[in-house]
Amino acid sequence: GEDVEQSLFLSVREGDSSVINCTYTDSSSTYLYWYKQEPGAGLQLLTYIFSNMDMKQDQRLTVLLNKKDKHLSLRIADTQTGDSAIYFCAESMGTGRRALTFGSGTRLQVQP
Amino acid sequence: DVKVTQSSRYLVKRTGEKVFLECVQDMDHENMFWYRQDPGLGLRLIYFSYDVKMKEKGDIPEGYSVSREKKERFSLILESASTNQTSMYLCASRITGTGVGYTFGSGTRLTVV
C-alpha cells in the first residue's frame, strides 16, 4: 500500500528558513498536500501541488516536487513563532473516492 | 466556508462501553472520512463513506463501525471501547470530483479508562 514518511521534529530560529521533507511510495499519486495543525486544532490545508508540477510558490511557502525520487518538500521563508505547529504531508489519487494518506507529521519548533 | 462539526471536543469513556462519535458537515459533500491521530503515526484512515448508506474500510477498521443514514452526518461507533482506542479522532469531508477541498473538523479527544 501507500506509504508517506516524514522526519518527526525540526527546530529553527525565528527569521530562518524551514525545510520540511517528505517521501512517498505511490507513483500514481495525483495530488500532494501540506497540512498544518496548531495545538488543539484540526488540520488546515496550507498548500497542494499536482503531480505534473515541479514547484509551487505561495507567499512564504515554496513546495518542491521531485517525482523521480518521490520526494516532496515544504520551505517556509522567514519562519515566525506562529509557524510552530505539526506539518503533515499527504497524498491522494485525486478525484476518485480515495482518501488522503498522511505522513507521521513533523513538529516544527521556532525558537525566538 | 464549509464547516465540519464534531459534536464532542473531549470524551472519557469506560472500557466496554459503546461509544458514538458524531460528525456533521453543512455543504452537501458526498465523501466523509474518519481518521485517528496518534503521536508519531500521523493520521490513519478508519472508514470512509462516498455517499449515504455507503461505506468502505480504511487501513485500521478493526474495533470500529460507521453509520451514514443522512448525507450530512457520519457517525463512528466503537462497539466495545478499549484502552488502545484512546486517541484523537478527526472527521473530514469533501465533494467527489475534486482533488482538493478536504475540510477537517477540530477533532474529538477520546480517553478510554
Side-chain angles (χ1 to χ4, degrees):
Chain A
E2 314 84 36
D3 198 17
V4 179
E5 294 192 357
Q6 302 176 238
S7 55
L8 291 180
F9 187 75
L10 176 66
S11 180
V12 299
R13 286 185 181 273
E14 193 172 17
D16 287 352
S17 291
S18 307
V19 179
I20 303 172
N21 294 301
C22 169
T23 58
Y24 60 98
T25 58
D26 192 344
S27 57
S28 57
S29 297
T30 308
Y31 294 81
L32 294 136
Y33 310 80
W34 285 104
Y35 281 85
K36 177 183 181 182
Q37 185 181 41
E38 297 186 40
L43 269 67
Q44 170 198 354
L45 178 65
L46 275 182
T47 187
Y48 64 93
I49 189 167
F50 297 110
S51 60
N52 61 359
M53 297 169 65
D54 298 322
M55 186 182 92
K56 181 178 180 182
Q57 187 147 5
D58 184 2
Q59 299 182 337
R60 292 190 297 122
L61 305 179
T62 303
V63 179
L64 294 177
L65 175 60
N66 180 328
K67 288 184 286 295
K68 176 175 168 290
D69 295 337
K70 299 194 187 74
H71 182 266
L72 182 75
S73 67
L74 173 70
R75 179 177 180 270
I76 305 172
D78 187 24
T79 313
Q80 303 297 307
T81 54
D83 295 323
S84 293
I86 302 176
Y87 291 80
F88 291 95
C89 170
E91 63 88 23
S92 80
M93 282 179 61
T95 60
R97 297 169 179 172
R98 289 287 300 275
L100 294 170
T101 300
F102 286 87
S104 57
T106 299
R107 182 178 295 277
L108 175 64
Q109 182 179 72
V110 182
Q111 313 224 354
Chain B
D1 280 350
V2 178
K3 197 169 179 186
V4 176
T5 304
Q6 295 185 231
S7 54
S8 302
R9 190 79 180 91
Y10 298 95
L11 274 180
V12 180
K13 296 292 180 181
R14 293 192 179 277
T15 301
E17 274 194 77
K18 189 168 186 175
V19 181
F20 292 85
L21 303 184
E22 305 289 345
C23 175
V24 177
Q25 49 94 3
D26 65 359
M27 280 299 288
D28 207 35
H29 283 178
E30 292 90 358
N31 300 168
M32 296 188 75
F33 310 85
W34 275 107
Y35 289 87
R36 67 176 278 177
Q37 180 182 0
D38 299 288
L41 296 178
L43 278 74
R44 292 178 292 166
L45 181 68
I46 305 171
Y47 267 97
F48 65 102
S49 168
Y50 47 87
D51 209 337
V52 176
K53 296 192 188 293
M54 301 293 194
K55 61 184 179 185
E56 284 195 25
K57 292 180 180 179
D59 299 318
I60 51 164
E62 297 79 18
Y64 303 95
S65 62
V66 289
S67 172
R68 184 113 182 256
E69 295 297 317
K70 292 186 178 181
K71 196 172 190 179
E72 67 269 21
R73 185 180 294 271
F74 191 34
S75 304
L76 180 69
I77 303 156
L78 286 66
E79 296 290 342
S80 176
S82 64
T83 54
N84 64 13
Q85 292 178 309
T86 292
S87 186
M88 170 71 87
Y89 291 87
L90 288 162
C91 175
S93 73
R94 71 155 188 167
I95 300 176
T96 301
T98 65
V100 293
Y102 295 85
T103 302
F104 282 82
S106 298
T108 296
R109 184 164 294 282
L110 173 67
T111 303
V112 182
V113 297

